[in-house]
Amino acid sequence: MAKTNNKLGLALVGLGEYSSGQLAPALKETKYCYLSGIVTGSTDKADEWKKQYEIPGKNIYDYKNFDAIKNNADIDIIYIVLPNAMHHEFVIRAAKAGKHVICEKPMALTVEDCDEMIAACKAANKMLSIGYRLHFEPHNLEMMRLGQQKIFGPIKGMIAEDGLAEVEGWRLNKTLAGGGPLMDVGIYCVQGVRYTTGLEPIAVTAKEGTKKNKEKFKEVEESLTWTMELPNGIVAECKTSYSEELNLLRAEAQNGWFELTTAYEYTGIKGETVEGKMKFPQINQQAKQMDDFAQAIMNNRPTPVPGEMGRQDVKILNAIYRAMETGDRVTV
Ligand code: NAD
């Protein structure tokens, strides 16, 4: 695609499932940014994407020559879509190349790494956002409104569950993933509870589920249940799994309940309250998310999903793992 004046150029780093299945197609629908470059370790993928998305050869990089992206005026935003453990290195390299950055979730494996990523972007005077697409999704936005504005009175409790029945590859490797389903999909439960209540967890307790497949899950948990205590006596009961499909975000408030029963998917999100079904359209979440970031850059305003939000989630995820390992109640 040719450089256009009114759109920011975005380069995807890591052309796996999420980049090819969601982000690149979404970048055909975006109004304020477009796919101007790619960073990949595979020459086959480079050729394929070059043709499919009309990417000029000069905008194609590999992981070694990536830093030369600094001199490429076609690329304003770098989007890191690599395995979790690689986010830290590549966000810092992107910032040092003088580019704005979007980093996929979970932001990193440790809070210290998150701090370094935030500091690198600040030092470069560039914006950093996390790929939290649900902050742009109408049903999830409605959960925020109902919860934070106490439309059904104060929230008493929440249930949040997110699980996948089938996973493979680096997601089962502790070094690359940082953990199991909690890092990958359980993070959406933490997010959901935080944005529905508008409050921060104070303490957590957690219990690892029994491993049905000990060989497959020798490095990471297969499933995990945890409880988050929030201010005002709110308790959130959460569950994540790599052997069971789960998808729920539910709030019990003083005067009624509200929930999403497909809460975190790319499409097919369904919501209901004590008063009836929610009626919102399904939208392209990734297109909305990337366009919002491009507009934030253009208008010099903050992103609603900054690095600091990703850092807080990593802090909570680490507290949950500590609680799981020790059996103790861990303050966040
Ligand atoms: P994937 O395995 O499909 O793709 C990962 C890419 O990284 C591949 O192209 C692979 O070649 C490349 N890679 C480079 N070095 C690698 C290494 N050492 N080991 C393995 N792969 C390596 O994964 P994905 O599903 O695209 O996930 C990538 C990131 O995006 C993860 O952080 C994940 O959490 C995130 N993600 C976010 C969403 C969302 O909805 N926001 C959805 C899916 C994935």
Side-chain angles (χ1 to χ4, degrees), residues 13-23 39-42 45 63 79-87 90 103-107 130-134 168-171 173 176 183-185 187-188 242 264-266 285-286 289:
V13 184
L15 308 180
E17 293 269 335
Y18 194 53
S19 281
S20 57
Q22 308 300 324
L23 297 175
V39 182
T40 172
S42 150
K45 278 191 202 165
Y63 301 121
Y79 196 152
I80 311 300
V81 203
L82 292 164
N84 306 343
M86 299 173 76
H87 295 175
F90 279 86
C103 175
E104 257 316 317
K105 44 55 61 176
M107 180 173 173
I130 309 300
Y132 287 138
R133 56 187 165 75
L134 294 172
E168 53 185 26
W170 64 266
R171 283 181 166 80
N173 175 317
L176 282 172
M183 293 299 273
D184 192 29
V185 288
I187 188 171
Y188 287 106
Y242 265 167
Y264 318 106
E265 298 287 289
Y266 306 141
Q285 300 166 15
Q286 290 84 1
Q289 171 215 325

Coordinates of all heavy atoms in Angstrom, one line a residue, residues 13-23 39-42 45 63 79-87 90 103-107 130-134 168-171 173 176 183-185 187-188 242 264-266 285-286 289, ligand 1:
V13 N 5.1 -6.6 14.0 CA 6.3 -7.4 14.3 C 5.9 -8.8 14.8 O 5.2 -8.9 15.8 CB 7.2 -6.7 15.4 CG1 8.4 -7.5 15.7 CG2 7.5 -5.3 15.0
G14 N 6.1 -9.8 14.0 CA 5.7 -11.2 14.3 C 4.4 -11.4 13.5 O 3.4 -10.9 13.8
L15 N 4.5 -12.3 12.5 CA 3.4 -12.5 11.6 C 2.7 -13.9 11.9 O 2.6 -14.7 11.0 CB 3.8 -12.4 10.1 CG 4.6 -11.1 9.8 CD1 5.0 -11.2 8.3 CD2 3.8 -9.9 10.1
G16 N 2.3 -14.1 13.1 CA 1.7 -15.3 13.5 C 0.2 -15.2 13.3 O -0.3 -14.5 12.5
E17 N -0.5 -16.1 14.1 CA -2.0 -16.2 14.0 C -2.7 -14.8 14.2 O -3.6 -14.5 13.4 CB -2.5 -17.1 15.1 CG -2.1 -18.5 14.9 CD -3.1 -19.3 14.1 OE1 -4.3 -18.9 14.1 OE2 -2.7 -20.3 13.5
Y18 N -2.3 -14.1 15.2 CA -3.1 -12.9 15.5 C -2.8 -11.8 14.5 O -3.7 -11.1 14.0 CB -2.7 -12.4 16.9 CG -3.7 -11.3 17.4 CD1 -5.1 -11.6 17.4 CD2 -3.3 -10.1 17.9 CE1 -6.0 -10.6 17.8 CE2 -4.2 -9.1 18.3 CZ -5.5 -9.4 18.3 OH -6.4 -8.5 18.7
S19 N -1.6 -11.7 14.0 CA -1.3 -10.7 13.0 C -2.0 -11.0 11.7 O -2.6 -10.2 11.0 CB 0.3 -10.6 12.7 OG 0.9 -9.8 13.7
S20 N -1.9 -12.3 11.3 CA -2.4 -12.7 10.0 C -3.9 -12.8 10.0 O -4.6 -12.4 9.0 CB -1.7 -13.9 9.4 OG -1.9 -15.0 10.4
G21 N -4.4 -13.3 11.1 CA -5.9 -13.6 11.2 C -6.7 -12.3 11.5 O -7.9 -12.2 11.1
Q22 N -6.1 -11.5 12.3 CA -6.9 -10.3 12.8 C -6.4 -8.9 12.5 O -7.1 -8.1 12.0 CB -7.1 -10.4 14.4 CG -7.6 -11.8 14.9 CD -8.9 -12.1 14.4 OE1 -9.8 -11.2 14.2 NE2 -9.1 -13.4 14.1
L23 N -5.1 -8.7 12.8 CA -4.6 -7.3 12.7 C -4.4 -6.9 11.3 O -4.9 -5.8 10.9 CB -3.3 -7.2 13.5 CG -3.4 -7.5 15.0 CD1 -2.0 -7.4 15.7 CD2 -4.3 -6.4 15.7
V39 N 7.8 -7.0 10.1 CA 9.1 -7.5 10.7 C 8.9 -9.0 10.9 O 8.0 -9.4 11.7 CB 9.5 -6.8 12.0 CG1 10.8 -7.3 12.5 CG2 9.5 -5.3 11.8
T40 N 9.7 -9.8 10.2 CA 9.4 -11.3 10.3 C 10.8 -12.0 10.2 O 11.7 -11.5 9.5 CB 8.5 -11.7 9.2 OG1 8.4 -13.2 9.2 CG2 8.9 -11.3 7.8
G41 N 10.8 -13.2 10.8 CA 12.0 -14.0 10.7 C 12.0 -14.9 9.5 O 12.9 -15.7 9.2
S42 N 10.9 -14.9 8.8 CA 10.6 -15.9 7.7 C 10.6 -15.2 6.3 O 9.8 -14.3 6.1 CB 9.3 -16.6 7.9 OG 8.7 -17.0 6.7
K45 N 7.3 -15.8 4.5 CA 6.2 -14.9 4.9 C 6.4 -13.5 4.4 O 5.4 -12.9 4.0 CB 6.1 -14.9 6.5 CG 5.4 -16.0 7.1 CD 5.1 -15.7 8.6 CE 4.9 -17.0 9.4 NZ 5.0 -16.8 10.8
Y63 N 14.3 -9.7 12.4 CA 14.6 -9.4 13.8 C 16.0 -8.8 14.0 O 16.2 -8.1 15.0 CB 14.4 -10.6 14.7 CG 12.9 -11.2 14.6 CD1 12.7 -12.5 14.2 CD2 11.8 -10.4 14.8 CE1 11.4 -13.0 14.1 CE2 10.5 -10.8 14.7 CZ 10.3 -12.2 14.3 OH 9.1 -12.6 14.2
Y79 N 3.9 -2.4 16.0 CA 3.0 -3.2 16.8 C 3.7 -4.6 17.1 O 3.9 -5.4 16.2 CB 1.7 -3.4 16.0 CG 0.5 -3.9 16.8 CD1 -0.8 -3.5 16.4 CD2 0.6 -4.7 18.0 CE1 -1.9 -4.0 17.2 CE2 -0.5 -5.1 18.7 CZ -1.7 -4.7 18.3 OH -2.8 -5.2 19.0
I80 N 4.0 -4.8 18.4 CA 4.7 -6.0 18.8 C 3.7 -7.2 19.0 O 2.9 -7.1 19.9 CB 5.5 -5.8 20.1 CG1 6.4 -4.5 20.0 CG2 6.4 -7.0 20.4 CD1 7.4 -4.5 18.8
V81 N 3.8 -8.2 18.2 CA 2.8 -9.3 18.2 C 3.6 -10.7 18.3 O 3.3 -11.6 17.6 CB 1.9 -9.3 17.0 CG1 0.6 -10.1 17.3 CG2 1.5 -7.9 16.6
L82 N 4.6 -10.7 19.2 CA 5.5 -11.8 19.4 C 5.1 -12.6 20.7 O 4.3 -12.0 21.5 CB 6.9 -11.3 19.6 CG 7.5 -10.7 18.3 CD1 8.7 -9.9 18.6 CD2 7.9 -11.8 17.3
P83 N 5.6 -13.8 20.9 CA 5.4 -14.4 22.2 C 5.7 -13.5 23.4 O 6.6 -12.7 23.3 CB 6.4 -15.6 22.1 CG 6.5 -15.9 20.7 CD 6.5 -14.6 20.0
N84 N 5.0 -13.7 24.5 CA 5.0 -12.8 25.6 C 6.4 -12.4 26.1 O 6.7 -11.2 26.4 CB 4.3 -13.4 26.8 CG 2.9 -13.9 26.4 OD1 2.3 -13.4 25.4 ND2 2.2 -14.7 27.2
A85 N 7.3 -13.3 26.2 CA 8.6 -13.1 26.7 C 9.4 -12.1 25.8 O 10.4 -11.6 26.3 CB 9.4 -14.4 26.9
M86 N 9.0 -12.0 24.6 CA 9.8 -11.1 23.6 C 9.3 -9.7 23.6 O 10.0 -8.8 23.0 CB 9.7 -11.7 22.2 CG 10.3 -13.1 22.2 SD 10.1 -13.9 20.6 CE 11.3 -13.1 19.6
H87 N 8.2 -9.4 24.3 CA 7.6 -8.1 24.2 C 8.6 -7.0 24.8 O 8.8 -5.9 24.2 CB 6.3 -8.0 25.0 CG 5.2 -8.8 24.5 ND1 4.0 -9.0 25.1 CD2 5.1 -9.6 23.3 CE1 3.2 -9.8 24.4 NE2 3.9 -10.2 23.3
F90 N 11.5 -6.1 22.3 CA 11.1 -5.4 21.1 C 10.4 -4.1 21.3 O 10.5 -3.2 20.5 CB 10.3 -6.4 20.2 CG 11.2 -7.3 19.5 CD1 11.7 -8.5 20.0 CD2 11.7 -7.0 18.2 CE1 12.6 -9.3 19.4 CE2 12.6 -7.8 17.5 CZ 13.0 -9.0 18.1
C103 N 1.9 -2.8 22.1 CA 2.4 -4.1 22.6 C 1.2 -5.0 22.9 O 0.3 -4.6 23.6 CB 3.3 -3.9 23.8 SG 3.9 -5.4 24.5
E104 N 1.3 -6.2 22.4 CA 0.2 -7.2 22.8 C 0.3 -7.5 24.3 O 1.2 -7.3 25.0 CB 0.4 -8.4 21.9 CG -0.7 -8.4 20.8 CD -2.1 -8.0 21.2 OE1 -2.5 -8.4 22.2 OE2 -2.7 -7.2 20.5
K105 N -0.9 -8.1 24.7 CA -1.0 -8.5 26.1 C -0.5 -9.9 26.2 O -0.5 -10.7 25.2 CB -2.4 -8.5 26.6 CG -3.6 -9.0 25.7 CD -3.6 -10.3 25.1 CE -3.6 -11.6 25.9 NZ -3.7 -12.8 25.1
P106 N 0.0 -10.4 27.4 CA 0.4 -9.6 28.5 C 1.6 -8.7 28.2 O 2.5 -9.2 27.5 CB 0.6 -10.6 29.6 CG 1.1 -11.8 28.8 CD 0.4 -11.8 27.6
M107 N 1.6 -7.5 28.7 CA 2.7 -6.6 28.4 C 4.1 -7.2 28.5 O 4.9 -7.0 27.6 CB 2.6 -5.3 29.3 CG 3.6 -4.3 29.0 SD 3.1 -2.8 30.0 CE 4.5 -1.8 29.7
I130 N -1.3 -0.8 25.0 CA -1.4 -2.3 25.0 C -2.6 -2.7 24.2 O -3.6 -2.0 24.1 CB -1.5 -2.8 26.5 CG1 -0.4 -2.1 27.4 CG2 -1.5 -4.3 26.6 CD1 1.0 -2.5 27.0
G131 N -2.5 -3.9 23.6 CA -3.5 -4.3 22.6 C -4.8 -4.7 23.3 O -5.4 -5.8 22.9
Y132 N -5.3 -3.9 24.2 CA -6.6 -4.2 24.9 C -7.8 -3.8 24.0 O -8.5 -2.8 24.3 CB -6.6 -3.5 26.2 CG -5.7 -4.1 27.3 CD1 -4.9 -3.3 28.1 CD2 -5.6 -5.5 27.4 CE1 -4.1 -3.9 29.1 CE2 -4.8 -6.1 28.4 CZ -4.0 -5.2 29.2 OH -3.2 -5.8 30.1
R133 N -8.1 -4.6 23.0 CA -9.2 -4.3 22.1 C -10.6 -4.2 22.7 O -11.4 -3.5 22.2 CB -9.2 -5.4 21.0 CG -9.4 -6.8 21.6 CD -9.2 -7.9 20.6 NE -9.0 -9.2 21.2 CZ -10.0 -9.9 21.8 NH1 -11.2 -9.5 21.8 NH2 -9.7 -11.0 22.5
L134 N -10.8 -4.8 23.9 CA -12.2 -4.8 24.4 C -12.5 -3.4 25.0 O -13.7 -3.2 25.2 CB -12.3 -5.9 25.5 CG -12.2 -7.3 24.9 CD1 -12.2 -8.4 26.0 CD2 -13.4 -7.6 24.0
E168 N -1.5 -24.9 21.8 CA -0.2 -25.6 21.5 C 0.9 -24.6 21.3 O 0.7 -23.4 21.5 CB -0.4 -26.4 20.2 CG -0.9 -25.6 19.0 CD -1.1 -26.4 17.8 OE1 -1.4 -27.6 17.9 OE2 -1.1 -25.8 16.7
G169 N 2.1 -25.1 21.0 CA 3.2 -24.2 20.7 C 3.8 -23.5 22.0 O 3.7 -24.0 23.1
W170 N 4.3 -22.2 21.7 CA 5.0 -21.5 22.8 C 4.1 -21.2 24.0 O 4.6 -20.9 25.1 CB 5.6 -20.2 22.2 CG 4.5 -19.2 21.7 CD1 4.1 -19.1 20.4 CD2 3.8 -18.3 22.4 NE1 3.1 -18.1 20.3 CE2 2.9 -17.6 21.6 CE3 3.8 -17.9 23.8 CZ2 2.1 -16.6 22.0 CZ3 2.9 -16.9 24.2 CH2 2.1 -16.2 23.3
R171 N 2.8 -21.2 23.8 CA 1.9 -21.0 25.0 C 2.1 -22.0 26.1 O 1.7 -21.7 27.2 CB 0.4 -20.9 24.5 CG 0.1 -19.6 23.8 CD -1.4 -19.6 23.4 NE -1.8 -18.2 23.0 CZ -1.5 -17.7 21.8 NH1 -0.8 -18.3 20.9 NH2 -1.9 -16.4 21.6
N173 N 5.1 -23.2 26.9 CA 6.5 -23.0 27.3 C 6.6 -21.9 28.2 O 6.4 -20.7 27.9 CB 7.3 -22.8 26.0 CG 8.7 -22.5 26.2 OD1 9.1 -21.8 27.1 ND2 9.6 -23.1 25.4
L176 N 8.8 -18.8 27.3 CA 8.3 -17.8 26.3 C 6.9 -17.2 26.7 O 6.6 -16.1 26.3 CB 8.1 -18.6 25.0 CG 9.4 -18.8 24.2 CD1 9.1 -19.7 23.0 CD2 9.9 -17.5 23.7
M183 N -1.8 -16.1 32.0 CA -1.1 -15.0 31.2 C -1.8 -14.7 29.9 O -1.8 -13.6 29.5 CB 0.3 -15.5 30.9 CG 1.3 -15.6 32.0 SD 1.5 -14.1 33.0 CE 2.9 -13.4 32.1
D184 N -2.4 -15.7 29.3 CA -2.9 -15.6 28.0 C -4.4 -15.2 27.9 O -4.7 -14.2 27.2 CB -2.8 -17.0 27.3 CG -3.0 -17.0 25.8 OD1 -2.8 -15.9 25.2 OD2 -3.5 -18.0 25.3
V185 N -5.2 -15.8 28.7 CA -6.7 -15.5 28.6 C -7.2 -15.1 30.0 O -8.2 -14.3 30.0 CB -7.5 -16.6 28.0 CG1 -7.3 -16.7 26.5 CG2 -7.2 -18.0 28.6
I187 N -6.0 -13.1 31.9 CA -5.7 -11.6 31.9 C -7.0 -10.9 31.6 O -7.2 -9.8 32.1 CB -4.5 -11.2 31.0 CG1 -4.1 -9.8 31.2 CG2 -4.8 -11.6 29.6 CD1 -2.8 -9.4 30.5
Y188 N -7.8 -11.4 30.7 CA -9.1 -10.8 30.4 C -10.1 -10.7 31.5 O -10.9 -9.8 31.6 CB -9.8 -11.5 29.2 CG -9.1 -11.2 27.9 CD1 -8.3 -12.2 27.3 CD2 -9.1 -9.9 27.3 CE1 -7.6 -11.9 26.1 CE2 -8.5 -9.7 26.1 CZ -7.7 -10.7 25.5 OH -7.1 -10.4 24.3
Y242 N -6.8 -24.0 30.0 CA -6.4 -24.4 28.7 C -7.0 -25.7 28.3 O -6.5 -26.4 27.4 CB -4.9 -24.5 28.7 CG -4.1 -23.2 28.2 CD1 -2.7 -23.1 28.4 CD2 -4.8 -22.2 27.6 CE1 -2.0 -22.0 28.0 CE2 -4.1 -21.1 27.2 CZ -2.7 -21.0 27.3 OH -2.0 -19.9 26.9
Y264 N -15.2 -12.1 25.6 CA -13.9 -11.6 25.2 C -13.5 -12.0 23.8 O -12.3 -11.8 23.4 CB -12.9 -12.3 26.2 CG -13.3 -12.2 27.7 CD1 -13.7 -13.4 28.3 CD2 -13.2 -11.1 28.4 CE1 -14.1 -13.4 29.7 CE2 -13.6 -11.0 29.7 CZ -14.0 -12.2 30.4 OH -14.4 -12.2 31.7
E265 N -14.4 -12.6 23.1 CA -14.1 -13.0 21.7 C -14.0 -11.8 20.7 O -14.3 -10.7 21.1 CB -15.2 -13.9 21.2 CG -15.3 -15.2 22.0 CD -14.2 -16.2 21.8 OE1 -14.1 -16.8 20.7 OE2 -13.4 -16.4 22.7
Y266 N -13.5 -12.1 19.5 CA -13.4 -11.0 18.5 C -14.7 -10.6 18.0 O -14.9 -9.5 17.5 CB -12.5 -11.5 17.3 CG -11.2 -12.1 17.7 CD1 -10.6 -13.2 17.0 CD2 -10.4 -11.5 18.7 CE1 -9.4 -13.7 17.4 CE2 -9.2 -12.0 19.1 CZ -8.7 -13.1 18.4 OH -7.5 -13.6 18.7
Q285 N -13.0 -4.9 16.4 CA -12.4 -4.4 17.6 C -10.9 -3.9 17.3 O -10.5 -2.9 17.8 CB -12.3 -5.5 18.7 CG -13.7 -6.0 19.1 CD -13.6 -7.2 19.9 OE1 -12.5 -7.6 20.4 NE2 -14.7 -7.9 20.1
Q286 N -10.2 -4.7 16.5 CA -8.8 -4.4 16.3 C -8.7 -3.1 15.5 O -7.8 -2.3 15.7 CB -8.1 -5.5 15.6 CG -7.9 -6.8 16.5 CD -9.1 -7.7 16.5 OE1 -10.2 -7.4 15.9 NE2 -9.0 -8.8 17.3
Q289 N -9.4 -0.2 17.8 CA -8.3 -0.1 18.7 C -7.1 0.6 18.1 O -6.5 1.6 18.6 CB -7.9 -1.5 19.2 CG -6.6 -1.5 20.1 CD -5.8 -2.8 19.8 OE1 -6.4 -3.9 19.6 NE2 -4.5 -2.7 19.8
Ligands
NAD1 P1 1.7 -17.1 17.1 O1 2.4 -18.3 17.7 O2 0.6 -17.4 16.2 O3 2.6 -16.1 16.5 C1 3.8 -15.7 17.1 C2 4.8 -15.1 16.0 O4 6.0 -14.9 16.6 C3 5.1 -16.2 14.9 O5 5.0 -15.5 13.7 C4 6.5 -16.6 15.2 O6 7.2 -17.0 14.0 C5 7.1 -15.4 15.8 N1 8.2 -15.8 16.7 C6 9.4 -15.1 16.7 N2 10.2 -15.7 17.6 C7 9.6 -16.7 18.1 C8 10.0 -17.7 19.1 N3 11.2 -17.7 19.7 N4 9.1 -18.7 19.4 C9 7.9 -18.7 18.8 N5 7.4 -17.8 17.9 C10 8.3 -16.8 17.6 O7 1.1 -16.3 18.4 P2 -0.1 -15.3 18.4 O8 -1.4 -15.9 18.7 O9 -0.1 -14.4 17.2 O10 0.3 -14.4 19.7 C11 1.3 -13.4 19.6 C12 1.0 -12.3 20.7 O11 -0.2 -11.7 20.5 C13 1.0 -12.9 22.1 O12 1.6 -12.0 23.0 C14 -0.5 -13.1 22.4 O13 -0.8 -13.0 23.8 C15 -1.0 -11.9 21.7 N6 -2.4 -12.1 21.2 C16 -3.3 -11.2 21.5 C17 -4.6 -11.4 21.1 C18 -5.7 -10.4 21.4 O14 -6.9 -10.6 21.3 N7 -5.3 -9.2 21.8 C19 -5.0 -12.6 20.4 C20 -4.0 -13.5 20.1 C21 -2.7 -13.3 20.5

